[in-house]
Short mmCIF file of all heavy atoms in Angstrom, two decimals:
data_model
loop_
_atom_site.label_atom_id
_atom_site.label_comp_id
_atom_site.label_asym_id
_atom_site.label_seq_id
_atom_site.Cartn_x
_atom_site.Cartn_y
_atom_site.Cartn_z
N LEU Y 683 98.02 -42.05 49.68
CA LEU Y 683 99.03 -42.58 48.85
C LEU Y 683 98.61 -42.78 47.40
O LEU Y 683 99.28 -42.71 46.39
CB LEU Y 683 99.66 -43.75 49.35
CG LEU Y 683 100.41 -43.73 50.72
CD1 LEU Y 683 100.80 -45.07 51.04
CD2 LEU Y 683 101.54 -42.84 50.77
N GLY Y 684 97.25 -43.12 47.36
CA GLY Y 684 96.74 -43.31 45.91
C GLY Y 684 95.40 -44.09 46.12
O GLY Y 684 94.95 -44.29 47.26
N ARG Y 685 94.83 -44.67 44.99
CA ARG Y 685 93.76 -45.44 45.04
C ARG Y 685 93.65 -46.55 43.91
O ARG Y 685 94.24 -46.17 42.88
CB ARG Y 685 92.47 -44.51 44.98
CG ARG Y 685 92.53 -43.65 43.82
CD ARG Y 685 91.45 -42.62 43.80
NE ARG Y 685 91.29 -41.75 45.02
CZ ARG Y 685 91.84 -40.61 45.16
NH1 ARG Y 685 92.70 -40.20 44.08
NH2 ARG Y 685 91.72 -39.94 46.27
N PHE Y 686 93.12 -47.66 44.20
CA PHE Y 686 92.78 -48.44 43.17
C PHE Y 686 91.31 -48.13 42.52
O PHE Y 686 90.53 -47.90 43.05
CB PHE Y 686 92.72 -49.95 43.70
CG PHE Y 686 94.00 -50.58 43.98
CD1 PHE Y 686 94.52 -50.64 45.23
CD2 PHE Y 686 94.64 -51.14 43.01
CE1 PHE Y 686 95.66 -51.41 45.46
CE2 PHE Y 686 95.89 -51.81 43.18
CZ PHE Y 686 96.49 -51.91 44.41
N VAL Y 687 91.45 -48.24 41.08
CA VAL Y 687 90.21 -47.78 40.45
C VAL Y 687 90.04 -48.97 39.38
O VAL Y 687 90.89 -49.64 38.93
CB VAL Y 687 90.27 -46.50 39.76
CG1 VAL Y 687 90.32 -45.35 40.69
CG2 VAL Y 687 91.36 -46.53 38.68
N THR Y 688 88.71 -49.36 39.08
CA THR Y 688 88.43 -50.39 38.15
C THR Y 688 88.74 -49.98 36.77
O THR Y 688 88.72 -48.77 36.40
CB THR Y 688 86.89 -50.77 38.22
OG1 THR Y 688 86.10 -49.65 38.03
CG2 THR Y 688 86.50 -51.28 39.61
N MET Y 689 89.09 -50.91 36.02
CA MET Y 689 89.43 -50.72 34.66
C MET Y 689 88.88 -51.88 33.75
O MET Y 689 88.75 -53.02 34.28
CB MET Y 689 90.89 -50.70 34.36
CG MET Y 689 91.62 -51.87 34.76
SD MET Y 689 93.55 -51.65 34.47
CE MET Y 689 94.13 -53.28 34.69
N LEU Y 690 88.51 -51.60 32.48
CA LEU Y 690 87.91 -52.66 31.71
C LEU Y 690 88.70 -52.88 30.28
O LEU Y 690 88.13 -53.35 29.47
CB LEU Y 690 86.36 -52.23 31.35
CG LEU Y 690 85.40 -52.07 32.60
CD1 LEU Y 690 84.12 -51.56 32.21
CD2 LEU Y 690 85.29 -53.53 33.22
N ASP Y 691 89.69 -52.22 30.30
CA ASP Y 691 90.66 -52.40 29.18
C ASP Y 691 91.22 -53.85 29.04
O ASP Y 691 92.05 -54.13 29.96
CB ASP Y 691 91.78 -51.32 29.06
CG ASP Y 691 91.21 -49.99 28.89
OD1 ASP Y 691 90.15 -49.90 28.51
OD2 ASP Y 691 91.90 -49.05 29.35
N GLY Y 692 90.70 -54.61 28.23
CA GLY Y 692 91.21 -56.15 28.10
C GLY Y 692 90.47 -56.89 29.26
O GLY Y 692 89.20 -56.70 29.37
N ALA Y 693 91.26 -57.63 30.17
CA ALA Y 693 90.58 -58.38 31.18
C ALA Y 693 90.20 -57.38 32.29
O ALA Y 693 90.92 -56.31 32.56
CB ALA Y 693 91.61 -59.36 31.77
N PRO Y 694 88.89 -57.50 32.78
CA PRO Y 694 88.53 -56.71 33.95
C PRO Y 694 89.55 -56.79 35.03
O PRO Y 694 90.08 -57.68 35.40
CB PRO Y 694 86.99 -57.16 34.35
CG PRO Y 694 86.80 -58.00 33.16
CD PRO Y 694 87.93 -58.54 32.54
N GLY Y 695 89.74 -55.64 35.68
CA GLY Y 695 90.68 -55.49 36.77
C GLY Y 695 90.72 -54.12 37.51
O GLY Y 695 89.76 -53.36 37.42
N TYR Y 696 91.91 -53.90 38.05
CA TYR Y 696 92.07 -52.67 38.81
C TYR Y 696 93.46 -51.91 38.33
O TYR Y 696 94.37 -52.64 38.03
CB TYR Y 696 92.15 -52.92 40.34
CG TYR Y 696 90.79 -53.36 40.85
CD1 TYR Y 696 90.57 -54.77 40.84
CD2 TYR Y 696 89.87 -52.55 41.40
CE1 TYR Y 696 89.28 -55.23 41.23
CE2 TYR Y 696 88.70 -53.03 42.01
CZ TYR Y 696 88.50 -54.43 41.86
OH TYR Y 696 87.22 -54.92 42.30
N ARG Y 697 93.45 -50.67 38.45
CA ARG Y 697 94.72 -49.83 38.32
C ARG Y 697 94.97 -48.99 39.54
O ARG Y 697 93.96 -48.40 40.08
CB ARG Y 697 94.51 -49.03 37.00
CG ARG Y 697 95.87 -48.15 36.70
CD ARG Y 697 95.57 -47.29 35.61
NE ARG Y 697 94.81 -46.07 36.12
CZ ARG Y 697 93.60 -45.76 35.52
NH1 ARG Y 697 92.92 -46.59 34.65
NH2 ARG Y 697 92.84 -44.67 36.01
N PHE Y 698 96.11 -49.15 40.00
CA PHE Y 698 96.49 -48.16 41.20
C PHE Y 698 97.16 -46.84 40.58
O PHE Y 698 98.07 -46.82 39.88
CB PHE Y 698 97.46 -48.94 42.01
CG PHE Y 698 97.89 -47.99 43.30
CD1 PHE Y 698 96.94 -47.96 44.36
CD2 PHE Y 698 99.13 -47.21 43.34
CE1 PHE Y 698 97.21 -47.16 45.40
CE2 PHE Y 698 99.41 -46.57 44.37
CZ PHE Y 698 98.46 -46.46 45.47
N ASP Y 699 96.44 -45.81 41.04
CA ASP Y 699 96.90 -44.40 40.62
C ASP Y 699 97.38 -43.85 41.89
O ASP Y 699 96.76 -43.92 42.97
CB ASP Y 699 95.82 -43.68 40.08
CG ASP Y 699 95.29 -44.13 38.71
OD1 ASP Y 699 96.09 -44.74 38.11
OD2 ASP Y 699 94.13 -43.84 38.41
N ASP Y 700 98.65 -43.12 41.85
CA ASP Y 700 99.15 -42.44 42.93
C ASP Y 700 98.34 -41.20 43.32
O ASP Y 700 97.30 -40.90 42.58
CB ASP Y 700 100.63 -42.06 42.85
CG ASP Y 700 100.86 -41.14 41.69
OD1 ASP Y 700 100.00 -40.50 41.35
OD2 ASP Y 700 101.95 -41.16 41.20
N ALA Y 701 98.55 -40.57 44.43
CA ALA Y 701 97.91 -39.32 44.81
C ALA Y 701 97.73 -38.24 43.83
O ALA Y 701 96.88 -37.40 43.79
CB ALA Y 701 98.44 -38.78 46.16
N GLN Y 702 98.76 -38.16 42.78
CA GLN Y 702 98.73 -37.18 41.77
C GLN Y 702 98.10 -37.68 40.52
O GLN Y 702 98.02 -36.90 39.48
CB GLN Y 702 100.22 -36.86 41.45
CG GLN Y 702 100.93 -36.01 42.44
CD GLN Y 702 101.36 -36.87 43.63
OE1 GLN Y 702 101.84 -37.99 43.36
NE2 GLN Y 702 101.23 -36.33 44.85
N GLY Y 703 97.53 -38.92 40.53
CA GLY Y 703 96.85 -39.48 39.28
C GLY Y 703 97.61 -40.20 38.45
O GLY Y 703 97.16 -40.71 37.39
N GLY Y 704 98.88 -40.43 38.75
CA GLY Y 704 99.88 -41.27 37.90
C GLY Y 704 99.64 -42.80 37.98
O GLY Y 704 99.50 -43.16 39.21
N ALA Y 705 99.55 -43.54 37.04
CA ALA Y 705 99.42 -44.98 37.15
C ALA Y 705 100.67 -45.59 37.63
O ALA Y 705 101.77 -45.26 37.21
CB ALA Y 705 99.03 -45.49 35.67
N VAL Y 706 100.49 -46.48 38.42
CA VAL Y 706 101.63 -47.20 39.11
C VAL Y 706 101.77 -48.62 38.79
O VAL Y 706 102.78 -49.22 38.50
CB VAL Y 706 101.58 -47.01 40.65
CG1 VAL Y 706 102.65 -47.83 41.39
CG2 VAL Y 706 101.68 -45.44 41.11
N LEU Y 707 100.43 -49.29 38.99
CA LEU Y 707 100.50 -50.70 38.59
C LEU Y 707 99.09 -51.13 38.23
O LEU Y 707 98.12 -50.37 38.45
CB LEU Y 707 101.06 -51.69 39.69
CG LEU Y 707 100.36 -51.57 41.06
CD1 LEU Y 707 99.13 -52.35 41.17
CD2 LEU Y 707 101.42 -52.09 42.04
N ALA Y 708 98.90 -52.29 37.58
CA ALA Y 708 97.56 -52.91 37.30
C ALA Y 708 97.42 -54.19 37.77
O ALA Y 708 98.40 -55.00 37.82
CB ALA Y 708 97.42 -52.85 35.74
N LEU Y 709 96.24 -54.54 38.03
CA LEU Y 709 96.05 -55.92 38.67
C LEU Y 709 94.72 -56.49 38.07
O LEU Y 709 93.70 -55.88 37.84
CB LEU Y 709 95.75 -55.83 40.21
CG LEU Y 709 95.63 -57.09 41.12
CD1 LEU Y 709 96.10 -56.77 42.48
CD2 LEU Y 709 94.20 -57.60 41.13
N SER Y 710 94.87 -57.80 37.53
CA SER Y 710 93.75 -58.44 36.74
C SER Y 710 93.68 -59.79 37.21
O SER Y 710 94.53 -60.48 37.72
CB SER Y 710 93.97 -58.40 35.27
OG SER Y 710 95.21 -59.06 35.05
N LYS Y 711 92.46 -60.29 37.14
CA LYS Y 711 92.18 -61.82 37.42
C LYS Y 711 92.02 -62.60 36.32
O LYS Y 711 90.99 -62.51 35.52
CB LYS Y 711 90.94 -61.76 38.40
CG LYS Y 711 90.74 -63.19 39.00
CD LYS Y 711 89.44 -63.20 39.95
CE LYS Y 711 89.27 -64.59 40.51
NZ LYS Y 711 88.86 -65.53 39.48
N PRO Y 712 92.98 -63.49 35.97
CA PRO Y 712 92.78 -64.28 34.76
C PRO Y 712 91.81 -65.39 34.84
O PRO Y 712 91.74 -66.19 35.71
CB PRO Y 712 94.17 -64.76 34.49
CG PRO Y 712 94.75 -64.93 35.86
CD PRO Y 712 94.17 -63.84 36.70
N SER Y 713 90.74 -65.42 33.87
CA SER Y 713 89.85 -66.52 33.87
C SER Y 713 89.28 -66.79 35.23
O SER Y 713 88.84 -65.85 36.02
CB SER Y 713 90.42 -67.73 33.17
OG SER Y 713 89.63 -68.79 33.00
#
């Protein structure tokens, strides 16, 4: 269905990309 990949734009977190590579949502841990 897709995969969570790490991202470092702003607060470190994760982005979920669907199987075609389209971004679906982002998840970050505040402080």
